[in-house]
Amino acid sequence: MADDCLFCRIIRKEIPANIVFENDAYVAFRDINPQAPLHVLVVPKEHVASLNEATDAGLIGGLSLVAAQLAKREGVAEGGYRTLINTNRDAGQTVFHVHLHLLGGRPLGWPPG
Ligand code: AMP
Ligand code: ZN
């Protein structure tokens, strides 16, 4: 837990968020600036700044499994969806608590910008 981290504050319920999933290790909530009809962020409760600092394969792998579960629940699993993690400047990471984006509900262009 980091005192000044936005996502740690959401995890601690100090800042409101539209939480769609929570268990002992993860929280998932709707992105405040959605880029697709479905845009959810999946975060580990443990504060890890970015993929560069990650060491726990299970913790990072679990992000994808939570997203797949949510994709099914939100009705985009069959049509398709995208999961991605932005890391550092060139990818446009803005919040330094690792998070996996789950995007769906429309055709997603490739390659991304
Ligand atoms: P990234 O650019 O990969 O670091 O993604 C950060 C994401 O967090 C962006 O898509 C933002 O729209 C989203 N975001 C920022 N603040 C909030 C918030 N308070 N609640 C939900 N999503 C947020
Ligand atoms: Zn954090």
Side-chain angles (χ1 to χ4, degrees), residues 1-2 5-9 11 46-48 96-97:
M1 287 287 173
C5 168
L6 176 63
F7 288 172
C8 283
R9 297 189 71 194
I11 291 161
E46 181 183 325
H47 179 85
V48 177
F96 286 83
H97 179 127

Side-chain angles (χ1 to χ4, degrees), residues 6-7 29-33 41 86 92-95 99 101:
L6 176 63
F7 288 172
F29 50 90
R30 297 199 191 276
D31 196 292
I32 206 167
N33 182 24
L41 303 176
N86 291 320
Q93 183 178 4
T94 58
V95 179
H99 51 281
H101 294 257

Side-chain angles (χ1 to χ4, degrees), residues 18-21 28-42 66-84 100-108:
N18 190 342
I19 293 175
V20 296
F21 174 88
F29 50 90
R30 297 199 191 276
D31 196 292
I32 206 167
N33 182 24
Q35 301 302 310
L38 174 66
H39 190 173
V40 165
L41 303 176
V42 186
V66 170
Q69 227 177 292
L70 291 173
K72 288 174 193 154
R73 202 173 79 188
E74 298 274 339
V76 302
E78 196 178 327
Y81 59 92
R82 182 168 295 155
T83 54
L84 67 94
L100 180 137
H101 294 257
L102 166 63
L103 295 149
R106 66 168 172 81
L108 300 161

Side-chain angles (χ1 to χ4, degrees), residues 55-56 110:
T55 55
D56 184 337
W110 190 264

